[in-house]
Amino acid sequence: MVRWAAFSCLLVPVVLVVYGTSVGGAAAAALGLAAVTAACRVLLRQSERTAARARAAESAPPRGRRARIAPGADRGGRQGTGSAPGD
């Protein structure tokens, strides 16, 4: 995908010059496209890293004795109501 973006950053100014745009205008368009391409590349890499961390966190087993358990799950300890005979 990045190769196509780099290709378009080179191709668009050439097409603009061929169709009558000034060289300065074509150069400005190329710089704008290069800036947008670089920003998209940075955001894409950040998104991929975040997704990889989330997948790693989901697949990792809980660590230690005091690992979090699901809300509402019975921990096996004494309960305040209904645990004593006659309640």
Side-chain angles (χ1 to χ4, degrees):
M1 181 166 58
V2 175
R3 289 180 187 167
W4 281 107
F7 176 71
S8 70
C9 287
L10 296 175
L11 181 66
V12 168
V14 171
V15 170
L16 288 174
V17 169
V18 167
Y19 281 97
T21 304
S22 68
V23 175
L31 288 175
L33 284 171
V36 169
T37 300
C40 289
R41 186 175 181 187
V42 167
L43 290 172
L44 181 62
R45 285 190 177 202
Q46 181 181 4
S47 171
E48 288 172 346
R49 287 183 191 137
T50 302
R53 284 188 198 124
R55 280 192 305 266
E58 287 176 359
S59 65
R63 297 183 345 201
R65 281 184 16 179
R66 295 182 180 246
R68 291 188 179 202
I69 59 171
D74 185 17
R75 298 176 99 170
R78 296 176 94 187
Q79 301 297 321
T81 58
S83 61
D87 280 342

